[in-house]
Amino acid sequence: MKDRIYLSTPHMGGDELKLVQETFASNWIAPLGPQVDAFEKEFAASVGSPHAAALSSGTAALHLALRLIGLKAGEEVLCSTLTFSASVNPIFYEGGTPGFIDSERTSWNMDPSRLAEALEDRARKGRLPRAVILVHLYGQSADIDAVAALCERYGVTLIEDAAEALGASYKGISPGTRGRMGIFSFNGNKIITTSGGGMLVSADASLVDKARFMATQARDPAPHYQHSEIGYNYRLSNVLAAIGRGQLRVLSERVDARRAVCAFYKKAFVDLPGLEFMPEAAWGRCTRWLTCVLFDPKKFGADREAVRVALAAENIEARPIWKPMHRQPVFAGCDCFGGDVADDLFARGLCLPSGSSLTPEQLERVAAVVRGCHA
Ligand SMILES: Cc1ncc(COP(=O)(O)O)c(C=O)c1O
């Protein structure tokens, strides 16, 4: 069996171990400490947000964001349908109901015209949603201005799920920094990782302070343990923050490397009919966290599942594009505005191995299998 090629693997820079050793030497093996403080500051500076709170996961960050806006049971939150379930689950943690919004074809992210339709519909019915969760998929920013303008017009809070888009840009800003709050993930498959972790950012210091408070069991300021609110154990450990600081130092190199992987595939498949890449929207720079391709079976001679199976037979990991949330059994019965675009992207789309440490030989192996599927 040939060596396994993974979809997206951790890629350490060099400073991580030194920083972890510093942490050990100082005995700050705790869920808080100087590495967490420094990581928050450095991360905030990196994405251009005034404030950031380091948390145990992106999911925890999104959950806290919904707690912080005071989402109540029965209230609706509109969310991109093409995403990972972690964008939606926290809505249920708070008893809310999701309404899903289809993708557009420019960036594969939330279609502002579908969002407008949903907001008009809800305004007509006199029950506006509590928030919109705008997801930035596969390293590419959604059309933030269009979505933010709609949220402003209807007075609906915008929360950005930028778990997959650290290092991307949108008209000169980082996705995740325009909404009331934004969240990021440092899960093992992300562009930089702390093995597990997340960040909540906001321009509003009081929200970020409150997030830190809620993430540390909502302890009132008292010498004894006193609690006036329900809290969570959601803080990032000081040891993992040390890894994050090291990773942040190589973020721009990781973006360049992932873009180079995508450029390699583009060149390798330039003559193949019926194969197209996720477009890069003119409004920003995509990190190509994952290189995503669509197959037209009639022109290519094989569908995406045949390509995935052929890659798997060669011990190469590839994944279908996210199965839309309105197609998930667990979310059956939730409203969806549109859905055909996300359905089509799921039916025809595949994520190819995209890690920043892939070797030229590994990339050649992947390309050869994909080419071999073309009839
Ligand atoms: C779009 C999206 N949202 C949220 C998350 C949740 O992040 P985490 O795994 O850090 O909880 C992920 C990734 O895992 C994601 O891809």
Side-chain angles (χ1 to χ4, degrees), residues 57-60 83-84 86-87 135 137 161 163-164 183 185-187 190 197 289 322:
S57 68
T59 310
T83 187
F84 180 44
S87 303
V135 187
L137 284 183
D161 177 350
E164 299 182 5
I183 72 101
S185 166
F186 312 119
N187 191 17
K190 295 296 184 286
W289 168 57
W322 296 121

Side-chain angles (χ1 to χ4, degrees), residues 221-239:
H224 50 273
Y225 282 86
Q226 178 176 298
H227 308 272
S228 308
E229 281 182 65
I230 299 296
Y232 304 89
N233 185 0
Y234 275 175
R235 277 298 247 169
L236 186 71
S237 111
N238 199 50
V239 180

